[in-house]
Every structure is written in structure tokens, then in C-alpha cells.
């Protein structure tokens, strides 16, 4: 095992009607609230009304920034930070999926700074504090509700980097599985893929920790066991609850204990697909992960055997990869490039553009290093 420290400072409120705790929780942070949300799903689902009711019970003055897009962009972060700064907010409440909560994390750091938000990603801004953040999660996928990461896209430079700061763990996160019942089938499937991909990135990271590997297998097993039933019963609270809990554990540190870090090379490939094609995050991963496993099959063989045996009861690396691919397809997630808008067969211009984007984004695996030729072969395998 590698040496490690465990400290996850987020209070997680999980279950039916947990939002009723919001007013008491807010007492520690003040009453001037920047409410951040996306393109409108929370108004249609009724979550907006429920959160507003609690904010009013808390006596809050609310300033709203809405319209955060899926695969969020830095210009929205700057505009929201301006609004927060101008109104001297004490607290940010982010209501939505990963895109909204990640944006809110960077807004929280940007408000006290004189800089543009992108300076954080360039490491030229040096934050010393952040506005406290409360997250109300409406989509089970990213794990952002209980971690210190944020991923935001620069629409001008075509980069999609991640940023980590211990200051941006949400202070409290509210996870009511009822709030995810309106997530449509495609994003429900992408969320299940994403949580599995997080568990896999942890698994393929450097460092040997048998117990962490078993926790990883359990998280993936939970998704494999209940994901397909959820796809048939999108309104089922019990199934939503299982997937929501699994998604949080897949990226709140649990899958990294005793490891140097995760690998994260496949996520990098996924981010380049997103930057160029605006592919949904989980959809980029259901295409890229099987291709990456195929490319590294020989070197991954012992790990794939252990994984495939634990999760699917199979006894070869090939079968393990096939099982993941079949599982993603069973959920209705794409597994080939043409399903996300690229060509039917390997296309040199598309591959060149992606390899260039991977180089601009400085993508690589932490454990399994990739050369430009590796990228070409992985991308080719994804067609
Ligand atoms: O815009 P709204 O109205 O909010 O609609 C969203 C959006 O269209 C909709 N949605 C969310 N909750 C809903 C709902 N629709 C109906 N009912 C609900 N309850 O779903 C669409 C997708 O939302 P989005 O937030 O983009 O999805 P997700 O949670 O998958 O977040 C993806 C982003 O998170 C980043 C990704 O790169 C991507 O930018 N990630 C963040 C990570 C982190 N912070 O730790 C790790 C991940 O690997 C990932 O990179
Ligand atoms: Zn992810």
C-alpha cells in the first residue's frame, strides 16, 4: 500500500426529504445566497420550488444564476462569480448535476479573487479562501457532491481540465434519490457508466491495496446488479437510491485509499471527445473505456482477470472487456464512435484532431502512460 491520509469534510445528507435540514444547516453560513442551477430541469421537476421553500424558511436573500450548460463553460463561471461578488454573498447553493456543482465550486473560489476564473486552472490565481458551498444533487454520476474536484471547459482554448482544492469540498450535500427520478434514460445510463469508470480509474491506479480493490469490485457489482433494473424502472426510488449511493462512493476517496492516485487516462480521452463533439461525459467513457482496455489488454491481463471474475464471474481478460462493453450497450450507452456522431469507420481527420486535442489538454494516464501512437490505436479501436 502507498501511504495515505483520509479526510473527507463534506456532510452528506442522504435520503427522502433531507432538504428539510437545509435551514438549520444554513445558520452557520449567513443569509445572502447565490443559487446556481442549470437549464431548467429543476423547475420542471419541482426541486426548485422545494429548495426555494427551504431558503425562504431560512430567511435567505437569494440571487439566482441559471443556465449552466452540461459540460460547463468558464464564461458562465465568470458571470456567476461577478453576480456573487456584486451582491456580497455569504453562501452558494448549487442545485443540479456535476456541471452545476463543478461550476459552483470554481465560482466559490473565484468570488474572493480579483482574477478571471480561468487563472485558477492556469495556477496563476492563488486562492486562500472560498465561499462556502452547499450542493443539492439531482443526477447520480460524478461524485462531485463529496469531493474537491471541478472540471470546467474553456470554450475558446478548447481545454477541459480538472482542478482540485481542499477548499471546494461542499460543506453539506443533500442527496434525495427522489430528485433523480426525472433524469431521462440516456443521462441515467451515462451516470451508471461514469460511476463504473471512476471505480475503474481507481482500480487501474498505481499501488496495491487488496481491500480497496474489493471495495471497488463491490461498487461496480452494485451498478451491474441494479443498473439494468433501474433502466426499466426509472421511477423506482429503491433503485435510484442504490445507484446514487454507489456513485458517491466511487469518487469520494474510497476507491483511492492506499493508491498513489487513479489512472485517469480514459477520462482524459473522454474530455477531448467532449471538447470537440460536446459528447455527454458518461457517453464519452462508454466509448473510450473498452477501447483503452483492448489496447492495454496484455499488460492489464492479471488485473482484468481478477476484476472480471469478481464482477461478472468470467475467467479471461477478453471476456472481462466484452462484459463491460455488453453491459454499457445493455444500458443504452454508446460503445462506438459513430454512436456519438463520428464516422462509421476509422477516420484519419477525426483521429488527428482528437490526438491534437489530447496533446493540448496534456492528457495522459498516471499509471499507464500513452504515446501519441497509443492514442491513435485506442481511438481506432473505438470505431
Ligand atoms: O441543465 P439542467 O436543467 O440541470 O439539465 C441537466 C443536463 O441537461 C439534466 N439533469 C440533471 N438533473 C436532472 C436532469 N434532468 C432531469 N431531471 C433531473 N433530476 O441532465 C443533463 C446533464 O447534467 P450534467 O450536470 O451535465 O451531468 P453530470 O452530472 O453527468 O455532470 C457532468 C459534468 O461533470 C464532470 C464532467 O466532466 C461533466 O462536465 N465531472 C466531474 C467530476 C468531479 N467533479 O469529480 C468527475 C467526473 O469524472 C466528471 O469529469
Ligand atoms: Zn467521470
Amino acid at each position: 500500500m502507498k501511504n495515505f491520509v483520509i479526510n473527507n469534510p463534506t456532510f452528506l445528507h442522504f435520503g427522502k426529504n433531507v432538504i428539510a435540514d437545509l435551514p438549520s444547516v444554513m445558520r452557520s453560513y449567513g443569509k445572502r445566497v447565490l443559487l446556481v442551477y442549470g437549464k431548467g430541469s429543476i423547475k420542471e421537476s419541482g426541486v426548485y420550488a422545494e429548495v426555494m421553500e427551504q431558503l425562504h424558511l431560512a430567511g435567505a436573500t437569494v440571487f439566482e444564476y441559471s443556465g449552466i450548460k452540461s459540460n460547463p463553460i468558464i464564461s458562465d463561471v465568470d458571470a456567476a462569480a461577478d453576480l456573487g461578488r456584486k451582491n456580497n454573498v455569504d453562501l452558494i447553493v448549487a442545485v443540479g448535476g456535476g456541471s452545476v456543482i463543478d461550476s459552483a465550486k470554481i465560482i466559490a473560489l473565484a468570488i474572493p479573487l480579483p482574477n478571471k476564473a480561468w487563472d485558477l486552472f492556469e495556477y496563476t490565481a492563488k486562492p486562500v479562501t472560498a465561499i462556502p458551498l452547499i450542493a443539492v444533487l439531482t443526477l447520480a454520476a460524478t461524485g462531485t457532491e463529496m469531493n474537491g474536484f471541478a472540471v470546467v471547459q474553456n470554450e475558446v482554448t478548447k481545454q477541459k481540465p480538472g482542478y482540485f482544492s481542499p477548499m471546494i469540498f461542499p460543506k453539506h450535500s443533500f442527496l434525495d434519490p427522489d430528485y433523480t427520478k426525472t433524469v431521462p434514460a440516456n443521462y441515467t445510463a451515462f451516470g451508471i457508466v461514469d460511476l463504473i469508470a471512476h471505480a475503474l480509474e481507481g482500480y487501474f491506479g498505481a499501488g496495491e491495496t487488496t481491500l480497496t480493490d474489493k471495495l471497488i469490485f463491490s461498487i461496480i457489482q452494485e451498478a451491474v446488479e441494479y443498473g439494468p433494473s433501474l433502466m426499466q424502472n426509472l421511477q423506482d426510488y429503491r433503485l435510484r437510491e442504490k445507484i446514487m449511493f454507489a456513485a458517491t462512493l466511487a469518487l469520494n476517496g474510497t476507491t483511492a485509499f492506499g493508491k498513489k492516485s487513479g489512472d485517469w487516462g480514459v477520462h482524459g480521452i473522454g474530455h477531448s471527445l467532449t471538447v470537440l463533439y460536446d459528447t455527454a461525459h458518461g457517453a464519452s467513457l462508454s466509448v473510450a473505456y473498452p477501447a483503452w482496455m483492448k489496447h492495454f489488454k496484455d499488460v492489464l491481463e492479471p488485473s482484468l482477470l481478477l476484476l472480471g471474475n469478481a464482477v461478472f464471474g468470467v475467467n479471461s481478460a477478453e471476456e472481462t472487456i466484452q462484459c463491460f462493453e455488453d453491459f454499457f450497450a445493455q444500458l443504452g450507452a454508446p460503445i462506438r464512435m459513430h454512436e456519438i456522431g463520428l464516422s462509421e469507420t476509422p477516420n484519419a481527420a477525426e483521429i488527428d484532431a482528437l490526438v491534437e486535442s489530447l496533446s493540448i489538454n496534456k492528457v495522459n494516464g498516471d499509471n499507464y502512460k500513452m504515446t501519441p501512437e497509443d492514442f491513435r490505436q485506442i481511438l481506432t479501436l473505438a470505431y
Side-chain angles (χ1 to χ4, degrees):
M1 277 197 235
K2 305 282 184 192
N3 293 3
F4 62 103
V5 174
I6 298 179
N7 173 30
N8 192 312
T10 301
F11 287 92
L12 198 83
H13 304 246
F14 192 101
K16 232 179 225 308
N17 301 323
V18 283
I19 199 68
D21 296 344
L22 183 60
S24 61
V25 157
M26 274 179 57
R27 272 188 219 127
S28 318
Y29 304 107
K31 294 191 171 174
R32 296 177 71 78
V33 173
L34 178 64
L35 179 71
V36 181
Y37 56 98
K39 298 252 181 220
S41 67
I42 64 165
K43 290 205 166 162
E44 282 163 39
S45 66
V47 171
Y48 173 86
E50 288 194 18
V51 172
M52 283 305 265
E53 186 188 344
Q54 297 304 324
L55 289 171
H56 287 138
L57 284 173
T61 304
V62 181
F63 306 92
E64 296 189 30
Y65 189 92
S66 63
I68 299 288
K69 83 176 263 309
S70 180
N71 298 325
I73 49 177
I74 200 73
S75 52
D76 269 326
V77 170
D78 275 322
D82 282 346
L83 182 70
R85 218 176 275 127
K86 198 172 80 194
N87 290 293
N88 208 12
V89 298
D90 307 307
L91 171 67
I92 300 175
V93 175
V95 188
S99 296
V100 168
I101 296 171
D102 282 9
S103 298
K105 287 175 171 179
I106 301 298
I107 296 164
L109 286 173
I111 288 176
L113 290 171
N115 305 62
K116 288 283 186 192
W118 190 251
D119 293 346
L120 289 159
F121 290 92
E122 304 248 318
Y123 297 97
T124 51
K126 307 272 181 246
V128 290
T129 182
I131 304 292
L133 167 65
I134 291 179
V136 180
L137 187 69
T138 63
L139 196 166
T142 62
T144 187
E145 63 275 13
M146 205 177 185
N147 70 40
F149 297 104
V151 189
V152 176
Q153 196 167 319
N154 184 320
E155 61 272 41
V156 178
T157 63
K158 300 276 180 209
Q159 288 166 289
K160 188 173 186 192
Y163 187 86
F164 174 82
S165 165
M167 291 183 278
I168 55 177
F169 280 79
K171 299 289 181 210
H172 291 260
S173 281
F174 292 89
L175 275 65
D176 185 335
D178 264 335
Y179 287 8
T180 65
K181 281 183 177 174
T182 49
V183 177
N186 58 352
Y187 276 103
T188 301
F190 303 156
I192 297 168
V193 172
D194 195 23
L195 87 86
I196 291 176
H198 296 158
L200 291 175
E201 298 284 22
Y203 182 59
F204 293 120
E208 202 222 307
T209 324
T210 48
L211 178 55
T212 298
D213 286 347
K214 287 174 189 153
L215 295 171
I216 288 169
F217 297 157
S218 299
I219 290 168
I220 300 175
Q221 278 163 348
E222 189 81 349
V224 167
E225 188 170 344
Y226 298 108
S229 313
L230 174 57
M231 296 311 301
Q232 300 305 315
N233 302 281
L234 293 173
Q235 299 290 320
D236 188 310
Y237 179 88
R238 200 183 57 94
L239 295 168
R240 287 286 186 189
E241 160 183 81
K242 288 178 189 297
I243 295 300
M244 198 171 203
F245 184 34
T248 300
L249 289 194
L251 200 51
N252 74 342
T254 304
T255 54
F257 299 150
K259 305 243 177 194
K260 180 169 158 268
S261 83
D263 184 71
W264 299 105
V266 179
H267 264 69
I269 297 172
H271 291 333
S272 277
L273 281 166
T274 295
V275 162
L276 294 190
Y277 296 96
D278 207 19
T279 311
H281 176 63
S284 73
L285 299 171
S286 53
V287 172
Y289 233 118
W292 180 88
M293 286 178 175
K294 286 175 197 170
H295 179 70
F296 283 115
K297 180 171 68 67
D298 292 343
V299 32
L300 295 176
E301 182 134 23
S303 313
L304 285 172
L305 262 176
L306 208 63
L307 171 69
N309 192 264
V311 177
F312 298 110
V314 296
N315 292 304
S316 74
E318 287 84 0
E319 288 173 293
T320 304
I321 299 168
Q322 192 62 52
C323 283
F324 276 107
E325 197 167 88
D326 292 348
F327 180 72
F328 294 157
Q330 183 191 359
L331 295 175
I335 53 171
R336 292 287 182 273
M337 293 291 213
H338 72 86
E339 296 173 80
I340 54 170
L342 286 83
S343 302
E344 288 275 346
T345 52
N347 176 306
E350 289 170 1
I351 293 174
D352 284 350
L354 280 162
V355 172
E356 173 161 5
S357 166
L358 289 160
S359 139
I360 292 169
N361 279 288
K362 300 187 182 65
V363 168
N364 219 320
D366 193 69
N367 198 17
Y368 295 96
K369 296 289 174 205
M370 293 174 279
T371 63
E373 187 48 33
D374 286 317
F375 286 130
R376 281 182 192 284
Q377 292 180 17
I378 293 166
L379 293 166
T380 304
L381 286 164
Y383 279 86

